[in-house]
Amino acid sequence: MTHAQDVEPGGQFSVRLAREADVGAIFAVRLAVRENVLTMAELARLGVTPESFRELIRASADTWVAERDGIVVGFGSVDREEGSVFALFVDPGSSGLGIGDAILSRLEASLFADCETIWLETGAESGAAQFYARRGWRVTVALADGDVRMEKSRSASVGGPGASRR
């Protein structure tokens, strides 16, 4: 894993590891989304606060941001202990540029370093579910609240099969 900033093909944006100073911009992106909309109060009830995100960034190199012209326009994070994608959001004004793909590739690489199978939860009828399905994720469980659990195995990804703890 590198701490360098990687400019994506086409040069429209770059992806790098998040820094504590990015937390305000990360929350601005999170609050701007059109699906899975939550207020700051709702996020706080789920334990997702600016301070919890700062701690996450301090504790591990598992959160990435995408920037356009120096402005954070997307972010993603993993829960390494759970082997899951914790969050992946792109500002609606920057959708369609490949930002989600670029961040997801880093999230997957991070998790596949330790896990054979990784997972996430998202709305069954959401654009996010379609996004993940196009990238090789498959629905494994329909949840009672209208969400689905999706999984992807290392052998199904570009990296090929390999041994891991999960």
Side-chain angles (χ1 to χ4, degrees):
M1 202 171 338
T2 178
H3 289 270
Q5 183 164 305
D6 299 321
V7 177
E8 294 301 311
Q12 294 187 42
F13 64 92
S14 58
V15 178
R16 63 170 171 77
L17 287 169
R19 301 183 286 256
E20 287 183 59
D22 296 323
V23 169
I26 286 170
F27 273 82
V29 168
R30 179 62 185 90
L31 294 172
V33 300
R34 296 184 184 128
E35 290 187 346
N36 193 10
V37 175
L38 296 172
T39 65
M40 283 294 284
E42 291 167 324
L43 288 167
R45 282 193 293 278
L46 296 171
V48 180
T49 65
E51 186 51 42
S52 72
F53 238 83
R54 279 187 205 89
E55 178 56 34
L56 178 68
I57 291 168
R58 279 192 297 266
S60 67
D62 292 323
T63 301
W64 287 262
V65 296
E67 292 183 313
R68 290 182 72 196
D69 301 320
I71 298 168
V72 172
V73 293
F75 74 96
S77 187
V78 302
D79 182 331
R80 188 173 295 282
E81 279 186 31
E82 294 289 325
S84 69
V85 172
F86 173 70
L88 174 54
F89 293 97
V90 176
D91 184 272
S94 294
S95 65
L97 299 175
I99 292 168
D101 279 323
I103 296 171
L104 183 60
S105 70
R106 282 146 179 96
L107 301 177
E108 289 177 353
S110 175
L111 290 170
F112 282 139
D114 296 321
C115 304
E116 172 59 34
T117 301
I118 60 178
W119 65 277
L120 59 84
E121 291 180 2
T122 193
E125 302 298 322
S126 68
Q130 295 170 24
F131 168 83
Y132 293 118
R134 287 191 303 270
R135 285 147 188 86
W137 291 75
R138 59 184 178 77
V139 173
T140 57
V141 178
L143 304 171
D145 61 0
D147 284 355
V148 290
R149 178 181 170 120
M150 299 181 81
E151 294 183 355
K152 187 173 186 179
S153 66
R154 185 183 312 147
S155 57
S157 75
V158 177
S164 78
R165 68 175 190 233
R166 297 192 208 271

